[in-house]
Every structure is written in structure tokens, then in C-alpha cells.
Amino acid sequence: MSALPSMSANTQAAGDAAYDAVVVGAGFAGMYMLHRLRGQGLKVRVYEQGGDVGGTWYWNRYPGARCDVESMQYSYSFSDELQQEWNWSERYAPQAEILKYANHVADRFKLRGDIQLNTRVDRATFDERTSTWQVATSDGRIATAKFVVLATGCLSNARMPDIKGLSEFKGNVYHTGHWPHEPTDFTGLRVGVIGTGSSAIQSVPVIAQQARHLTVFQRTANFSIPARNAELTVEEREAFRRNYPEIRRFAREEARNGIYAELPDRGALDDGDNTRRAKYEARWAKGGLTFMLAYNNLILDKAANDTAAGFVRGKIAEIVRDPETAKRLQPDDHPIGSKRICVDTDYYATFNRPNVTLVDLKSDPIVEILPNAVRTRTGDHEIDALVLATGFDAMTGSVAKIDISGRGGRTLKQKWAEGPRTYLGLMSQGFPNLFIITGPGSPSVLSNMIVSIEQHVDWIADCLAFMRERGLEVIEATKEAEDQWVAHVNEVAQQTLYPQANSWYMGANIPGKPRIFMPYIGGVGVYRQICNDVAAKGYEGFVMSQSAPVPKMAAS
Ligand code: NAP
């Protein structure tokens, strides 16, 4: 297909290169965006700061890293050939296999030629005169693009904790979200892990098998459900493949979280104690995230939630032999599921090992890190290596790292100082032609990410095709639409138990970050319908024009 005259006319003038669209990031979102836009004949450049494609699966190589959504569902659906061909080996694919899949996709769809690796996007500036973006990259070049798509990922800005003495530690320090590419081996070492979120819960059992001694520093206990990971049989794979049309349809349209699963039709308090316990036992035996689908009100009603939380606390007490350790591992400060629920293989049982110690930082906080130890209030815990499983500046962190200036030179960072504001999680008013994939205000991290990624990419690609057919060059969210959407996102969140937890969904893990529930909780099916309706009504809530429109209202 040929490049599009209406979109590329303005992009020829300045800069080292001119594109119809620049995509930031070559993870699952960036790769599919490239595929779709190139399929429309657009000239596209993808910049990726990593040394290869794969995004989160390129960086998160810590021991035990694997997806907590089943592999047959955590995969692209846009190509039936691809989903029929690819052989996932396990129920939950390990990181290396997902990365291999990402590389396979890049090769199979010949994406690499348009992806520039090892290149960070430092700055993006909207030129109101020409209605184009100037994109400055770490190689010192400036590209011009009509559209910019941020495919930067929700959990890609690893967060180093601000702990006194950290830089003085003499041994190796690792962050789970930025793991080295060379093999790591903790054999014979005394290892400390700080943090007990999903990344720690996956890595602790594996590190414990290698290390001479492992000390886990826990600030907040988390709920975790056994993964029950296993090799996939040929029959299981075939059953999925046969039923993919319905599985994918259900995940997109009916599931709240983009995962095909049996949905509950009753609340936890509608059943008596014995029936309820039997249902939780069945879900525990099956394993995985769908534990929270035992009943339809677990995340809405605290009394219902208490029954599920109590069940999991009981399981922890059954598994962990030392009653003191079991008690520390039992979460008691947030409803189950109000923080991202974890999925593990032998996490709680690991604390029965003689070489594993749990330190409860609530009662015994870290004072400082010494060259050879972590000092807590009660004493020193000697270690040779330190693993920081301390999470990410989620959802906004990777966007905020880029210096993005929109209309009138206003930066996105300034605009989002009180919390992210978007219309549908897709665009932010004052930043024309800048799209965000799975941005704050969309279901994103509350869903199977690939389902949400595909929906956003398709919506953006269709939107650009709509504009092209009509000779339109600029799209921008209106302030009214954005304000209404932000209010709606908050209103829906407040109807649930989610805001009760100090979670990264709320920005609560970053000191000073505004506490706002960032993802849209209405469910992927409802959200998709809203996005489709907006498009069907001629992109209601957006202004489209042939050149940069004068904003109707002052910037918020
Ligand atoms: P996380 O859930 O944010 O957990 C970070 C942990 O570090 C928390 O336990 C936190 O304690 C602790 N922490 C942070 N700063 C600390 C400090 N200064 N001192 C002591 N403890 C500190 O991060 P994550 O485990 O990397 O997971 C993030 C998200 O990534 C997950 O929720 C999930 O969505 C995704 N993920 C998915 C998978 C998967 O698919 N299997 C695997 C890993 C991650 P507090 O809770 O007290 O703040």
C-alpha cells in the first residue's frame, strides 16, 4: 500500500525523518499498533528503549517470572493462523516462552524493519502551526509525526525504594522489573528480598531453592492463590483452538476482566457456610486469578469479601507450620482482590523451609542498608545479594518519563500533577493526535492486557482510517467529555472495595503521587461498548478537523 498523501504532506518538512505515526514501545501494544497502521499504508516508526521487542517480558526476567493469565488466553487473537500455530507449553507460560512468542510475532509479521531498538523517546512536542509532533530520541535525532501513540506499558517504570544506605551495599542488587540478561545464580548466597507483591511471590520459592539462606522483608502481606501450573496437553490445546471464536468473543464482550471463565450468578452470602466453603475449595483446587469469580459480589460487598479473605487466611494457617509466621503472612489490612491478587507456586510452603526467614517490617522496620546486611529495628540480617521486588510507578510513570508538551507548551506532567485525566484512557485534552494504549481511565491492568491492547489498537486504527477517509488531520478530546469520563471512572470505582486498599492502582505505592483510582473498573465488555458507541456517533467527545482546531474552552 502507498503512504497517505493527506497524512504525510505536513510531515515532510522538518526533522531527521517524517512519519505518519510514531509508536513508543515495542511490547505487545506497540507491535500490534505497528502491524495495524502499516496495514493501512501508513509510514510508521516504533522506538523501543530495550534491546529487543517484548516490553514487560523483555525486562522482567526474575527467577520464577511467568504470566498469571493462562497462556492460551494471554496471546494475540488478531491472527487466527498465529493462534492455531503457536504451541504454548504450560498453563501459565514462563517469561522466556512469552518473550520467544513476542519475537516470533515480530518475525512472522515482518515488524522489525520499522522498529528502532535501544532508542528512548525523550521528548515529544506538538507544533500547533503544522499540527505535527516533534519527537526527540536518545540518539540525538528529531522525527516528525502526525500521530504519536504511547505504547509504553502500565508497569514498566521500575521503582527503586528510597532506603538509607542502599547505594553502599557491597553485593549485587537486583530489581525484579529490570533483571539482568545474564543468568543469575544464588547458590550458596544469603539473599534478601524486599517486597511481597506478585514479583516477589513468584521469585521467592525459586530463590529459596538456590540460596543458602533467604530473608523475605514484608511490609504488607498479600493474598495469593496457587497457580496449579502444569504442562498443557495436546487435547487441552486443541480444545482451546477449536473454541477460540467463542472464547475470544466472551473474553472481549462478556468478561469483566477479559478472561474466559465461568461467571458466578450469586453472591457469597446467598449460600450457607458449607456450600460456600465447598465452592472456595473447588476454586482453590483449580487455582489462578478466577478464585475471585467464586461469587459475583466479592469485590462489591465487604461482608461477602470477608468470607473469601477468611478462607484464604485459613489456607495460609494450614500450609505454614510456624503459627507466628503464618499469622504474619495473613493479610488483614485490605479486602481480598482490592490489591492485585497474586498467583503462586508454593509461596506459602516456602516459609516451612529451614533456610527461609520472614521479617515483618510493620513491627520491625528497615532502618538502613549496611554494606553486608539489612538493618531493621531489632537487628542486622546479613546478606550477600539483595533483590528489590518493590514494584513500579504504575500506569503514569512511563508516560511521565517522556517530556510531552501539548497545546500552548503545557506538559502532560503539569496537566496530570493532580492525577491522570483522560477521555476513555485514550487521549488527554490539550494533546491532539496523541493516543495512549491502555492508559489510565481504561480497564488496562484490571484485565487480560492483551484483550485490552487489541481493543485499543483496533479502535485507534479505525479512528485514523475514519479521519483519512474524510480528509481530517487532527483529533482531540474535548474538556467536557474528559471531565465526564474522569467523574464516571471515579464514581464506578467508589462503588467497589478497591479504593479501600493502599494499592498501586491508587498510586499509593509512590510517596507524593495523587491518590486516584487509575484504571476503569466497569469491565472490558462495557468499556468496549462505550468506545464503539463513541465511534458510531462520529467520535462523540472528540473534535476532528483538517488542522489544529482552536480549543473551545481554556485548558483544564
Ligand atoms: P507491587 O505489587 O507494587 O509490590 C511491591 C512490593 O514491594 C510490595 O510488597 C511493597 O509493600 C513492597 N515495597 C515497596 N517499597 C518498599 C519499601 N521501601 N520497603 C519495603 N517494602 C517495600 O510490585 P510487583 O510485585 O512487581 O507487582 C506489580 C504488578 O505487576 C502486579 O500487581 C501485577 O499486576 C504485575 N505482575 C504480574 C505478574 C504476572 O503476570 N504473573 C508478575 C509480577 C507482576 P507495600 O505493599 O507495603 O507497599
Side-chain angles (χ1 to χ4, degrees), residues 541-556:
F542 293 96
V543 176
M544 290 180 176
S545 64
Q546 286 172 335
S547 59
V550 178
K552 277 198 293 186
M553 301 192 49
S556 59

Side-chain angles (χ1 to χ4, degrees), residues 161 163 192-196 200 215 217 361 366 369 374 386-390:
I163 304 177
V193 173
I194 299 182
T196 48
T215 309
F217 297 90
L361 299 180
I366 295 176
I369 294 181
V374 175
L386 180 60
V387 174
L388 302 170
T390 44

Side-chain angles (χ1 to χ4, degrees), residues 3 9 40 105 133 195 207 215-216 286 314 323 373-374 485 487 509 513 520:
Q40 293 183 2
V105 170
W133 283 92
I207 296 174
T215 309
V216 180
K286 189 163 187 276
V374 175
W485 184 251
N509 63 329
K513 190 167 174 171
Y520 176 59

Side-chain angles (χ1 to χ4, degrees), residues 23 38 76 112 136 152 183 201 229 270 279 285-286 310 317 321 328 331 342 350 353 372 394 435 438 505 556:
V23 176
R38 225 175 43 178
Y76 284 123
R112 291 190 192 277
T152 42
I201 282 177
N229 189 35
D270 297 335
K279 279 196 185 162
K286 189 163 187 276
R321 286 197 285 271
R328 287 188 199 133
C342 304
T350 295
R353 293 176 66 103
N372 64 339
F435 293 96
T438 63
Y505 296 141
S556 59

